[in-house]
Amino acid sequence: MTAVATPSQGVLTPHLEIVGGRPLAGSIQVSGAKNSALVLMATALLCDETLTLENVPQLTDIGGMGEVLSAVGVSVEDRRNGTLVLDGSGVSHAALPYELVNGLRASFFCIGPLLGRLGIAKVPMPGGCKIGARPIVEHVRGLKALGAAISIEHGVVSAAVPGTSRRLTGAHITLDCPSVGATETLLMAAVLARGTTVLENAAQEPEVTDLANLLIAMGARIQGAGTAVITIEGVERLGGTRYEVIPDRIEAGTFLLAAAITRSCLHVSPVVPEHLSAVLTKLQDCGCTIERDGRGLTLRADEIHAVDLRTQPFPGFPTDLQAPFMTLLATAKGTSVVSETIYENRMQHVAELQRLGASIRTQGSTAFVEGVPRLSGAPVTGSDLRASAAMVLAGLAAEGTTQVQGLQHLDRGYDDIEGKLRGVGASITRFNP
Ligand code: EPU
């Protein structure tokens, strides 16, 4: 279906215009997982052979990570069909340039593999972002336990392994909180360490398991990924391989919510249903019917009822779908209570949803969402990646035209969201004034 280009009503920044209230129908394709692909790319630093990644989404963050890796000597070839060919044979320097890492948190993934391979790394602090402070205490504590000497000066984390061998040493590490990034950093650091590392209270997110599976394909010895205890037996070297990134569970969840909020029927694939169990349960609790087939899920929605939800580490309800799911609940029958427990500042979408007519009251990181019969279009801005996705969902449901600004966030994490939604009947057009 062709998008209907409507007047942009004076919005002067790049934005999406969505004419809401249209039912969606058909099949929508899920790209490879952003949060897997970003960390998988960093493993190219661990070996001097070719790593071929398939099903890599086309995103600005992926391009940024490619530039960061190139800066330390990885050759990065983007074949533009979802295939990235990375060659770490030329990795020579261990200092990441600030101007490339600024704003790209994923660049901090380089510290673990650089330490593992070269015994030295200098990486600018990733810094906080709009959703919260996002400390790296657990990453640093774990790397120190593996034998690295670490100092943080002028916003740069300098890490080095003392001694002539420059090799990290396995250790028993218990994380204070199951940080995804810390688990991934320590996995990448420990695979080339001398001896065995045990990570307790490890993150269990599917992206961690994806990373472990890639490392195993490269020759690492890892057991327990996907559980709270991961055991890594260090090896002397890793080799190249070809590996396919898992489907993006958050993008898949966003499309299921697109079907639900427009009270439509959509087939979403590929999806690994186990990666979305908590989300599927909540969608069913609020009245959606979900059928599985070989590769994906079909969601049908008619009447949507209120449900309460609380974000938790995997396998709990993902924080990255809190804003999108709240948008659905803003149109549900009854009052829902949504509690954000992962990030201290992830309620900024509430004010924007209110501009569209939603009835939501917040108390700290808890939102009381009283469903309204309809939202109505207005100009809104997504303050971060998932808040932007929430605005797109709201626009699909709202009566009239919604202009969604903040596309620099959306483009970091959704590969051609407007093209995909247009393909299933949405009226959504990008304007670059
Ligand atoms: N935390 C600490 N200390 C630490 C590390 C983390 O207290 O040393 C806390 C954080 O403050 C936060 C919580 O632990 O409250 C979770 O942080 P985590 O380290 O698990 O998150 P992350 O690795 O920085 C990844 C994703 C995020 C996603 C979270 C949680 C990537 C590149 N990012 O971040 O994705 O929200 O896990 O699932 O993998 C997104 O895609 O929009 C996004 C923000």
Side-chain angles (χ1 to χ4, degrees):
M1 189 174 228
T2 321
V4 181
T6 50
S8 59
Q9 298 182 10
V11 177
L12 295 175
T13 55
H15 63 280
L16 291 174
E17 280 203 12
I18 306 171
V19 183
R22 299 185 168 206
L24 305 180
S27 289
I28 194 160
Q29 175 95 17
V30 176
S31 298
K34 165 185 84 93
N35 287 345
S36 266
L38 286 168
V39 69
L40 300 193
M41 287 172 77
T43 66
L45 294 166
L46 283 166
C47 76
D48 57 11
E49 293 179 12
T50 302
L51 172 65
T52 304
L53 295 178
E54 291 169 342
N55 199 31
V56 178
Q58 292 276 334
L59 302 170
T60 53
D61 267 13
I62 296 288
M65 189 66 179
E67 285 179 28
V68 167
L69 291 171
S70 302
V72 288
V74 177
S75 113
V76 181
E77 184 197 341
D78 183 350
R79 298 214 171 136
R80 291 271 146 203
N81 57 352
T83 303
L84 277 187
V85 183
L86 305 146
D87 181 345
S89 57
V91 172
S92 48
H93 30 296
L96 262 52
Y98 174 77
E99 56 282 9
L100 290 182
V101 309
N102 188 21
L104 181 65
R105 288 189 57 82
S107 57
F108 199 71
F109 285 137
C110 295
I111 197 168
L114 280 173
L115 264 182
R117 170 100 172 264
L118 303 176
I120 184 162
K122 277 188 182 221
V123 180
M125 293 275 285
C129 69
K130 284 193 169 164
I131 57 178
R134 310 193 71 178
I136 48 157
V137 181
E138 293 300 302
H139 314 52
V140 169
R141 205 169 56 81
L143 291 172
K144 282 183 176 168
L146 294 174
I150 298 190
S151 63
I152 304 177
E153 275 167 38
H154 306 296
V156 176
V157 183
S158 300
V161 189
T164 45
S165 84
R166 299 224 145 218
R167 198 167 168 201
L168 293 164
T169 309
H172 197 120
I173 302 165
T174 303
L175 296 178
D176 277 348
C177 65
S179 158
V180 176
T183 304
E184 292 169 338
T185 293
L186 298 175
L187 253 177
M188 289 187 284
V191 281
L192 290 179
R194 189 184 297 114
T196 302
T197 298
V198 179
L199 280 182
E200 282 198 55
N201 198 24
Q204 301 175 44
E205 269 69 2
E207 294 76 19
V208 172
T209 310
D210 208 27
L211 170 64
N213 286 340
L214 167 61
L215 291 169
I216 290 167
M218 293 168 78
R221 297 208 189 114
I222 301 170
Q223 283 184 329
T227 74
V229 183
I230 305 178
T231 306
I232 307 127
E233 210 185 302
V235 295
E236 294 284 333
R237 62 176 299 278
L238 296 177
T241 192
R242 178 178 281 271
Y243 189 82
E244 187 179 328
V245 179
I246 54 168
D248 195 309
R249 63 193 167 105
I250 306 301
E251 187 195 17
T254 305
F255 293 149
L256 292 170
L257 286 162
I261 203 165
T262 54
R263 312 297 192 258
S264 302
C265 176
L266 269 189
H267 180 250
V268 180
S269 76
V271 179
V272 181
E274 294 69 32
H275 292 175
L276 273 172
S277 302
V279 179
L280 300 183
T281 302
K282 289 294 174 191
L283 283 167
Q284 284 164 328
D285 288 351
C286 65
C288 301
T289 314
I290 299 172
E291 281 167 33
R292 289 185 185 205
D293 57 43
R295 261 179 83 69
L297 297 169
T298 301
L299 183 139
R300 254 184 209 85
D302 186 6
E303 208 170 73
I304 297 290
H305 301 279
V307 293
D308 295 344
L309 56 93
R310 189 179 179 77
T311 61
Q312 293 286 315
F314 191 83
F317 190 94
T319 173
D320 294 340
L321 283 174
Q322 180 260 111
F325 210 110
M326 191 192 295
T327 308
L328 171 67
L329 296 176
T331 69
K333 275 207 159 138
T335 301
S336 311
V337 182
V338 176
S339 309
E340 171 60 53
T341 73
I342 308 291
Y343 294 115
E344 63 273 24
N345 197 21
R346 214 175 208 184
M347 285 285 165
Q348 292 174 74
H349 47 285
V350 169
E352 298 303 291
L353 289 174
Q354 285 165 341
R355 292 159 66 80
L356 299 170
S359 173
I360 307 174
R361 180 171 61 81
T362 53
Q363 204 172 15
S365 283
T366 301
F368 301 88
V369 187
E370 196 188 321
V372 293
R374 68 192 56 80
L375 300 173
S376 44
V380 286
T381 303
S383 52
D384 70 88
L385 170 57
R386 308 304 172 184
S388 306
M391 293 307 118
V392 171
L393 293 176
L396 294 175
E399 264 178 16
T401 303
T402 298
Q403 292 92 2
V404 180
Q405 298 167 78
L407 302 190
Q408 72 279 17
H409 301 301
L410 198 64
D411 294 342
R412 287 183 40 224
Y414 288 87
D415 183 347
D416 189 23
I417 191 168
E418 70 264 31
K420 289 181 179 185
L421 288 171
R422 222 166 20 238
V424 291
S427 169
I428 175 167
T429 311
R430 183 177 287 245
F431 286 87
N432 284 312

